[in-house]
Structures are given as C-alpha cells and as structure tokens.
Amino acid sequence: MANNSTTTPKPQQKPVMPQQEQKQPQPQPQLMDQILATHSPDGRKVDVKPLLQLTEEILQRSITTNLGGAPIYALDEKTQQEKFVGKLETLSNTINKIACEISYGCSVGDDAHSTTMALFKTMSSYSWDAKMVLGLAAFSVTYGEFLLMAEFYSTHPLAKSIALLKQLPDTLEYSESLKPRFESLKSLIKAMIDVTKCVVHFEELPPDQRLSLVEAQANPVVVYWIIRRDIFVAVYWIIRSVIACASEIIGLIGLANEYIPSKTKAGELSSLTHKVINIHDHLKEVFPNCCQHIDEKVEINEEKQEEAYLTLVGLFKTIHIDNMKILKALIYAKNDLQPLLEGFAKKQVGIDVLRRKNVLLLISDLDISQEELSFLEQMYKESRDQPTRLESQYEVVWLPVVDRNFLLTQEKQKEFDRLQSRMPWYSVHHPSLIDPAVIKYIQDVWHFNKKPILVVLDPQGRFANPNALHMMWIWGSLAFPFTSMREEALWREETWRLELLVDGIDPKILNWITEDKFICLYGGEDIDWIRKFTSAARAVAMTAHIPFEMVYVGKRNPRDRVRGNINIITKGKLSHCWPDLTSIWFFWKRLESMWYSKMQQGKIIENDHIMEEIMTMLTFDVSEQGWALISKGSSNMAKAKGDMILSCFQQYDQWKEVVGEKGFMQAVNDHLQKLQTQHL
C-alpha cells in the first residue's frame, strides 16, 4: 500500500511473557480501569461473523474505490441471503444508535476519548469482540453512504439532491488534493479490519484451545490475563480509530467554497494507523496463526471427540475390577495433574481417593439453588460425622457442566469459585478439565439438562442410578447405596401416610402423630381464606372436643407473599407454621421428588395409589385458592381444595350428629363427598 506506515517493522519479541517488556501501545492503568468499568455483559451470545463479513465487504470495497471514480460493485450473494438478514435484524438498532452517537460526538467537537468511553457504555452488555464489530459496522454505514453519494451525485437525481444538501459537490472539487487523506483513511481501515478479525478468531476458540496457547508458559494464568488485557487495549484503539475515521468523513461534509481541514489533528490518522498495525503484529505473536489454528484443529477435534464418546460408551458396557477407568474417563484421563479438589482441606488430590467406593456424581451448571446446596451439605456432613456407618460409605464429586464459551469470564469464574468453596465434598478442580465428549455423554445418555442430577456409580464403576437426588430428598441416608434397586425396595415398603409427607421436616408433627392428635396441613397464599379456614377449623375442634393441630405449609417456590402470611399467622396465633421458607421449600421439593421417583420407576397414576395422592397434592398447589389435608394418626386422611374444606367446616352443624357413630374423619370424608356431588 502507498502509505508508508505499512513498512513499519514487526516487533521482534517472542510471545508475551509476564516478565517481558511489551511493545504494544498500552493505555494508562487508570484508563484500563475506566474501560473495564464499562463492561457489564448480560450473558447473551452474539454471532458476530455475519456482521463482520458484511462490514468487511463494505469497507473493503471502499478501500478499492476512488473518490468519484470506479463503481462500487454489488455485494456477494451470500451477504444477501435470508440467514444474514435474520441474524443482523436484532443488531440494527444498536448499530444505528452507535452511528448517531459517533456523528454527534464528532459534530459538536467532543474529544475522541470522551466519545470512545461513551460508546463503551452504550455497548456495555456486549462481548469484547462484538464491541469491535459493532463499532466498525456503525462506521461502515456512515462511510458507505458518503461514498455512494460521492459516486452517483452526477448521474442520479436523488443522490445529487442529497449531495447538494451535504455540500458534497464542493468536496469533490478537491478530490485530487484530498487523495492523500483518503489513502491514510484506507490504510487505517485495513488495519482495523485485520485487528478485529484476529480478535474475533481468538474469541471463537473453545476455552481449552485458548488455554493451549499459554499452557506451556511458566505461569499460564498470568499469561492468559495479559492476553485478555491485550484484547481490551485492542478494542479501545479500534473504537478510537473508528471515531477518528468518522470525524474525517464528517469534516469533509459542508466544505462550501473553501477547503476546511477536519478537526482531526494533522497526522492523527497516520499515527493511529501505525498504532493499530503494531497492535495487529503483537496479537499475531501472542496467538500465532490463530485462523490456521482453528481450521486445522476443528476437524481433528471432532474426530477425537467422537472417538472419546464411543470409548466412554464402551467402558460402561465392560466389567471392571474397580471404578478407576470409568472415573478417569469421566473426570480427567491424563496423569499430569491431580484433577479433584478435596472439599474440607481445599487441596488438590488424585482420582485414586475414590477407588472402589460408591461415587455420587453431582452434575449441574452454576445455577444450583442455595436450598439444594444447603440440604446436600447437611446430609453429607452428617455422614462424615459418623464415618463407620454403612450409610456413610459413599463419596460425592461435583462435575460442573459449564458453557465452554463462558468458562473463563471473570463473572463465571467467581460464581464457580463461590460454589466450590461451599462444597464439603470433592469437586473437579476446574470445569475445563471435563472433556466435551463427557459433556455430550452426560447430556445424551444421562439426560442432563440444566437441572442438577446425582448419578450413582457403584465401587466397580457400574451405572447404578440415573438420578438419586429424588431418593435423598425423600429418605435421606436411608436411601444408601442410592441404587435403583434400593429405590424400588423403599417404595415397596411405603404407604401413603403423614410421615411420608413430613418426615425430617418438623419433629412436632411426628410427636402429634404419636399422641394420636388430629393434624391439619394447609397451604395457599390467600390470607383471607387462611383466616376464615383456621377460624372455622378451631371452632369445629372445640365443639367436637378433639385435639386438633394445624400447620401452614405455604406454596411451592415460596416468595414474599408466603413470608408475609407466616408473619400474620404467627402474630395472630392462627396456627403453627414453619418460620423459615427453606422448610416450606423442602416440603414441596420432597413431593415433587416423590413424583419424579415414581416416574423413574415406570409407575403411572392409574395403578399406583401413592402416585395418585401425590398428584392430587401437587394439583392443589397449582390452584389459586387454599387447600387442606386432615389426618388422624398416620394414614386416616381427608383432603380437599379451599372452598370445599371451608364449606365442610362451616356446615359442621349438618354432620356433627354422625361424628359419634362414624368417627370424626369418616364424617368429614362423607360430607366432603356430599359437597363434591352437589358441586357436580
């Protein structure tokens, strides 16, 4: 290219090391802090490649177009395809907003840095590579419009009118004298495209391939952070250069009858070009042959992943003397590091600590609820307090399944660290250790889909249960060894009884059962119904001279309304209630787990009484109104929705005479049956 900035020699240093002096232009630390302070990604993943391709088409053609000279050819057909249009539709408003902000900042004379930082704030929710591409796209619209008018003003009436308003005819009179400035502009545009493509290609790499670029360094984590910092710097100077280019174009508009230089300082375009070329040379050294690195490895990696997946399938079909082969294939197959973090001591250990043990693989993403985590912590710590018990002979290992595109973002890393620090059991030291083939197996064969599961492997590594979480919620350590056979055996011993509903949640209820009291569980969010029902129930109990206790169990996914009800019930002494929302959450979680456990066993409502009762309870909770279940002892029960059970108690005078003959529970059920018949 004619611009002498292209002859700038490339830096001679090798890939960046922490202790090496860097030649890349760097903003001051305070400026770096300003840049990072504007970055607030919302997790959305933008496919920048179609936009970059379209932007490059526009800018590349501008590079090969002379002002008022050769025609701008039609874009390639691929950029006209519907898939491009669909992907770009969602970004068009953002691009337009950025273009307007650039035009305004340049028109009113704002300094380039202030305008750059304003654009960073506008693009705060986007990834770093998306910021670069969006900035270039916004400039390409402004530049493309300018060149179109410059080309067609003499032949097209509409273009001529618009060009007249913008005073472009006068600008074109100086086309020969402006040629050096356009050459500088084109050189800078080419350098910006090169840097942007380099960063986009790097961001496309899966995290494990990004790590492979630095894993040979003495301190790969530090080196990786330096690379990230280099990218932040590159983004800053690309946006800064976009503003300089836009300022140059806007400065050409409205020249009137005399040549007025742009507000861009003399030599700034040349200086920026030199700076951006140096950034590109530096990035090429930091992650060498990035594009080639992707192209060569994608096909090889796909073949390796398919081979690893089939190997895993084969391992689970093979009999082993212990669980080591299976666990190494699932967690980390190499012997070059200790892949597990021990929960209590927080030190790295090898997979051998799990040899010939029952292993429970807790598989989740980073969105595991605090309630679930707290319950598992409590149960696990109890098992460690009594290590000689048969029920304590198991180990838990957390396998974090994380979107590999977000593995190393600061936000995700902090969330991973926070969860890992809470866990008293073993966990995979870092999510990147889990092979993509393992994640595919977990999703395809074990049907993991965001919700946590607890896969059980026996001491020989055999698959013993696709999800033991349901067993743990229902029976706790009694479910050991957490196999599907044990789950089936426990259900054979169960009946529909109050202990099954509340076991382990509230000792008072178990005491009331022993004391042969009448016990009422009720729920819902309607505080008016709650007041009416508890008042009617107490009146009936007093009249019938029966020991009657009530417990408010709220609603699934309890929120502020349930919390407010608890306060009202407690202050008004309307009934007994659980003071914390965790107990309410656990009550409903156990009910849901009973349903899923039965489903996992292949049961259906039509031939399973417990499943039918569970379904009724879960249906009650869906209703807007309240509900109640009344029990005498363990298994003698009556239940109904809010309006029905309230009417039953309010009409006590109609059935009180039969209480002595039939007993209270039978009389309640008979009157409920009568009301239901009338309702039909």
Side-chain angles (χ1 to χ4, degrees), residues 575-601:
S575 75
H576 178 67
C577 59
W578 297 324
D580 62 292
L581 296 184
T582 302
S583 296
I584 292 175
W585 171 87
F586 188 41
F587 173 83
W588 291 103
K589 187 68 177 179
R590 289 184 74 254
L591 266 176
E592 287 180 352
S593 295
M594 292 175 201
W595 169 262
Y596 285 117
S597 177
K598 284 286 187 179
M599 290 284 289
Q600 202 164 274
Q601 291 285 314

Side-chain angles (χ1 to χ4, degrees), residues 35 38 116-124 128 131 235-236:
I35 295 170
T38 65
T116 301
M117 297 312 299
L119 292 180
F120 270 113
K121 291 178 182 177
T122 298
M123 299 185 289
S124 62
W128 294 102
K131 295 181 204 289
V235 176
Y236 175 84

Side-chain angles (χ1 to χ4, degrees), residues 99-344:
C100 290
E101 286 191 33
I102 292 173
S103 296
Y104 177 78
C106 294
S107 299
V108 301
D110 286 348
D111 68 275
H113 172 69
S114 297
T115 307
T116 301
M117 297 312 299
L119 292 180
F120 270 113
K121 291 178 182 177
T122 298
M123 299 185 289
S124 62
S125 61
Y126 291 95
S127 60
W128 294 102
D129 56 335
K131 295 181 204 289
M132 301 176 86
V133 177
L134 287 169
L136 276 178
F139 169 67
S140 73
V141 173
T142 301
Y143 194 33
E145 289 175 348
F146 172 82
L147 291 176
L148 280 171
M149 285 188 291
E151 179 183 348
F152 292 111
Y153 88 98
S154 61
T155 59
H156 196 288
L158 179 60
K160 185 174 183 178
S161 298
I162 295 174
L164 186 62
L165 286 173
K166 291 179 174 286
Q167 292 291 285
L168 284 180
D170 297 294
T171 302
L172 297 177
E173 290 179 8
Y174 299 102
S175 59
E176 192 62 32
S177 61
L178 291 175
K179 189 173 181 179
R181 302 188 68 153
F182 274 95
E183 290 301 323
S184 296
L185 196 63
K186 291 174 183 179
S187 297
L188 180 52
I189 290 171
K190 181 181 183 303
M192 289 192 297
I193 292 172
D194 289 341
V195 170
T196 301
K197 288 171 71 174
C198 195
V199 171
V200 168
H201 283 311
F202 178 76
E203 293 296 307
E204 278 185 326
L205 286 172
D208 54 344
Q209 291 188 32
R210 294 185 212 168
L211 286 173
S212 70
L213 298 174
V214 298
E215 61 188 1
Q217 305 291 348
N219 194 335
V221 175
V222 173
V223 177
Y224 188 83
W225 166 244
I226 291 175
I227 291 177
R228 299 304 299 171
R229 186 187 64 190
D230 292 341
I231 289 174
F232 306 155
V233 172
V235 176
Y236 175 84
W237 286 111
I238 292 301
I239 301 301
R240 181 79 175 259
S241 299
V242 161
I243 292 165
C245 292
S247 179
E248 186 73 10
I249 296 301
I250 291 170
L252 293 172
I253 296 175
L255 287 178
N257 296 316
E258 60 181 42
Y259 177 77
I260 302 174
S262 163
K263 291 182 180 179
T264 306
K265 294 179 180 179
E268 183 178 357
L269 290 183
S270 178
S271 174
L272 283 171
T273 301
H274 181 79
K275 190 185 296 289
V276 174
I277 288 174
N278 278 346
I279 290 173
H280 183 229
D281 291 340
H282 174 80
L283 291 179
K284 285 193 298 183
E285 288 195 352
V286 171
F287 27 93
N289 304 318
C290 189
C291 303
Q292 182 181 353
H293 183 86
I294 298 172
D295 296 336
E296 291 178 351
K297 289 199 172 185
V298 165
E299 186 175 349
I300 297 173
N301 282 340
E302 288 178 353
E303 292 177 0
K304 286 185 176 180
Q305 297 309 322
E306 182 64 21
E307 182 181 342
Y309 179 86
L310 295 175
T311 299
L312 200 53
V313 171
L315 281 173
F316 274 103
K317 294 180 179 179
T318 306
I319 298 174
H320 306 281
I321 59 172
D322 61 24
N323 53 6
M324 285 294 95
K325 283 187 177 180
I326 291 289
L327 292 176
K328 285 184 177 180
L330 287 171
I331 297 172
Y332 188 69
K334 300 177 184 178
N335 295 317
D336 57 345
L337 58 79
Q338 296 176 313
L340 297 178
L341 187 73
E342 197 274 323
F344 287 111

Side-chain angles (χ1 to χ4, degrees), residues 450-463:
K450 294 189 177 297
K451 286 189 175 182
I453 60 175
L454 194 68
V455 175
V456 180
L457 304 179
D458 74 6
Q460 285 72 47
R462 290 175 297 196
F463 177 71

Side-chain angles (χ1 to χ4, degrees), residues 471-488:
M471 296 178 70
M472 298 188 83
W473 301 139
I474 302 167
W475 295 291
S477 60
L478 188 62
F480 180 85
F482 311 106
T483 63
S484 296
M485 290 180 62
R486 177 59 177 161
E487 188 171 17
E488 189 174 353

